[in-house]
Amino acid sequence: MTENKDLLDWVAGVEKKVRPAKVSWCDGSEEEKACLIADLSASGHLIPLNEEKWPGCHLHRSHHQDVARTEHLTFICTENEEDAGPTNHWMSPKDADRKVGSLFEGCMEGRTMYVVPFIMGPAGSPHSKVGVQITDSAYVALSLRTMTRMGNIALEQLGTSTDFARCLHSLGDLNPDRRFICHFQEKSEIWSYGSGYGGNALLSKKCFALRVASWMAKEEGWLAEHMLIMGIEDPQGKVSYIAAAFPSACGKTNLAMLVPPLSQKGYKVWTVGDDIAWMRYGKDGQLYAINPEAGFFGVVPGTNTKTNPNAEKTIQKNTIFTNVAMTPDRSPWWEGRDKTAPAGMIDWQGRPWRSGDAAAAHPNSRFTTPAAQCPSISPEWENPEGVPISAIIFGGRRAKLAPLVFESFNWQHGVYLGATMASETTAAATGAVGVVRRDPFAMIPFCGYNMADYFSHWLEMGRKGENPPSIFHVNWFKTDEEGRFMWPGFGENLRVLRWILDRVHGKGATTDSAIGHLPAPGAIDLEGLETTEADMEALLNIDVEAWNAEAEDHKAFFEKFGDRMPDVLLREHQSLVERLSRSVTQEV
Ligand code: GTP
Ligand code: SPV
Ligand code: MN
């Protein structure tokens, strides 16, 4: 096990408080995995799927009121409220202790308390960090085994160091009225109570690798971001890496695993990560990124052999499907899998499902699957130093307004693009779906401190590097009058990435606009697509009136941050307004 006194003391203290029937330290072994699966299957929390068609795969149904992150129950518990900032919910550490700490008293009575040590990042990497999650959910323990480097390997990396994140989790009674996810950045501690789902319960992911790590990153001079990491190999065999931030359920997993269409001969995509990037400058002044995770917790609906063939292949074995439907032959099923749903299915809540009923799979149903199984996994994905990033891409889900792609004028303007991102909300969090909200850097639910300070940190990071990446913005989701997507998306997104890489390599024709550099007509290869140059014009159109309204909204958003807002971004806003007004004069 371990002789780490700090860890043993913390575990003993928690045990005394939660009073479990049994304590089980997870070692990461195959035997342990088999035991967890056997126990979960015996208790009905895992349903084995068709072993022939889906070897090693299981279905898990979470509580029907526990199916997505609950942002209104997620708190930053810094000593000072100002440090949490206006975009986070804050709870004082004292209140947290009283309100949430007390819920843990005796909460594991009659249950097993699992102690799950894990590493975020490749084992042995100087950029990796260790966490330990205590949980009374065997499903969470099993999921952490896929999502992180879990078990003895983490204890070995930790040694006698006191530097580990203390993550305490209990399902409680799963009552949403007694659900809290609290982050104590100042002591790298997380408490999560009352949820067994995704980002609320797998504390390694959003809680540690983003909310706590973003704070560490600010202190230590690096970046913890909600970004995919991918390599794009050109026909000459040169691989360029990019990182891209899109809000939840806006296309990171899909882009990271992109399969080039037949017309794009000689191109190949390499997946490094699909959700989180930790980035820092190397000695050569370039920004390097590691994926701190070891698995994918991906959106299931919409996944099929056409949209995301690599995900489809990855999830064929050793995968937990959470909240999908099941066919009579015990195969998992979800909306967007086949045109017609098979007869005789059971829906995500275990009820008989008939055509015409509500969705058979929950819109936020997910797969938990090992990254190593992905056919496009990069040979560099466990490189302890990470991969060098040539371009950073921001994007959102905007039916109107945002063009298919544009490039920032420079780093500072790029930070403005990140800071003013907006996107339609999705089923990844509870609440209304399809409402446009500002989501800077796709981090609004995940930034662990005052977002104005986070903007300053990004500005600082640009000054720090000799060769910071170029910054772009994309929108795959623009729709026409009939509400149809105007851009084919998925594999065809490679065409946009090629223009981005052309720009990075000093090529790629542009047209200037008030909001940034747009691709010049013909600069994006449309060969073999139904999309015409006229469609492209619509996809790249800048509606100045709508952008004026948008710029107003940027300002209103920035005003929330008061004095803490960096001047540089307020000046960027002013410049945007001026460029927009000039562009109207030019049009007249
Ligand atoms: P999180 O795991 O929540 O962070 O989501 P994500 O950003 O990884 O999103 P993901 O790739 O899982 O995509 C979410 C949804 O968007 C899925 O239903 C996809 O089918 C759909 N989607 C992804 N890429 C595209 C695209 O290029 N065009 C269109 N129209 N839909 C897309
Ligand atoms: C997201 O919502 O961005 C996810 C899923 O990746 S969760 O792990 O629930 O945060
Ligand atoms: Mn995510």
Side-chain angles (χ1 to χ4, degrees), residues 206 226 248 252 275:
K206 297 309 177 24
H226 191 201
S248 302
K252 289 182 300 300
D275 198 49

Side-chain angles (χ1 to χ4, degrees), residues 404-580:
L404 179 63
V405 60
F406 62 105
E407 183 186 2
S408 69
F409 298 121
N410 51 46
W411 180 272
Q412 187 172 303
H413 179 234
V415 173
Y416 182 82
L417 299 186
T420 55
M421 272 167 67
S423 193
E424 291 149 23
T425 51
T426 65
T430 54
V433 167
V435 182
V436 175
R437 75 161 171 181
R438 304 240 77 88
D439 188 353
F441 297 79
M443 282 289 277
I444 205 83
F446 308 121
C447 181
Y449 60 100
N450 191 311
M451 205 150 211
D453 298 350
Y454 170 88
F455 298 157
S456 300
H457 180 49
W458 261 86
L459 290 165
E460 178 61 30
M461 285 298 286
R463 287 179 215 118
K464 234 167 111 165
E466 265 161 56
N467 195 8
S470 306
I471 300 181
F472 297 81
H473 190 284
V474 301
N475 177 21
W476 313 137
F477 299 95
K478 210 169 177 188
T479 56
D480 61 16
E481 282 77 40
E482 275 86 51
R484 287 180 302 230
F485 291 121
M486 292 162 73
W487 176 249
F490 302 104
E492 307 297 351
N493 292 334
L494 179 69
R495 298 167 189 269
V496 174
L497 299 183
R498 280 179 55 202
W499 179 77
I500 287 175
L501 290 180
D502 279 349
R503 293 296 302 149
V504 166
H505 299 130
K507 298 176 286 180
T510 62
T511 319
D512 269 342
S513 85
I515 65 164
H517 302 301
L518 294 167
I524 290 185
D525 172 20
L526 298 180
E527 179 84 41
L529 277 189
E530 278 174 27
T531 312
T532 61
E533 282 296 337
D535 295 330
M536 209 56 184
E537 233 181 274
L539 276 161
L540 295 174
N541 176 52
I542 307 297
D543 176 342
V544 174
E545 210 172 300
W547 271 98
N548 273 323
E550 176 76 3
E552 272 299 303
D553 206 53
H554 294 174
K555 188 157 163 246
F557 180 67
F558 283 175
E559 275 165 4
K560 282 191 184 186
F561 299 97
D563 289 350
R564 241 153 139 142
M565 189 67 205
D567 284 340
V568 167
L569 294 185
L570 299 175
R571 284 203 295 277
E572 279 295 333
H573 172 262
Q574 201 45 45
S575 308
L576 170 64
V577 171
E578 283 159 21
R579 288 193 306 268
L580 284 166

Side-chain angles (χ1 to χ4, degrees), residues 69 205-206 226 228 244-256 258 274-276 296-304 307-308 335-336 363-367 397 426-429 446 475-478 485-493:
R69 284 181 293 101
K205 196 174 176 61
K206 297 309 177 24
H226 191 201
L228 68 92
F246 310 152
S248 302
C250 290
K252 289 182 300 300
T253 301
N254 277 267
L255 193 69
L258 183 154
D274 82 325
D275 198 49
I276 299 178
F296 305 130
F297 183 64
V299 175
V300 173
T303 305
N304 63 50
T307 55
N308 194 346
E335 276 64 27
N364 191 36
S365 50
R366 298 260 167 178
F367 52 74
R397 193 181 272 273
T426 65
F446 308 121
N475 177 21
W476 313 137
F477 299 95
K478 210 169 177 188
F485 291 121
M486 292 162 73
W487 176 249
F490 302 104
E492 307 297 351
N493 292 334

Side-chain angles (χ1 to χ4, degrees), residues 221-223 225 227 241 243 278-290 385-392 411 458 461-462 464-471:
W222 51 284
L223 294 166
E225 299 299 326
M227 288 181 177
Y241 296 92
W278 285 359
M279 304 193 284
R280 63 183 82 218
Y281 285 107
K283 288 194 188 78
D284 59 0
Q286 285 228 72
L287 196 63
Y288 283 77
I290 63 163
E385 298 300 335
V387 294
I389 299 297
S390 301
I392 288 176
W411 180 272
W458 261 86
M461 285 298 286
K464 234 167 111 165
E466 265 161 56
N467 195 8
S470 306
I471 300 181

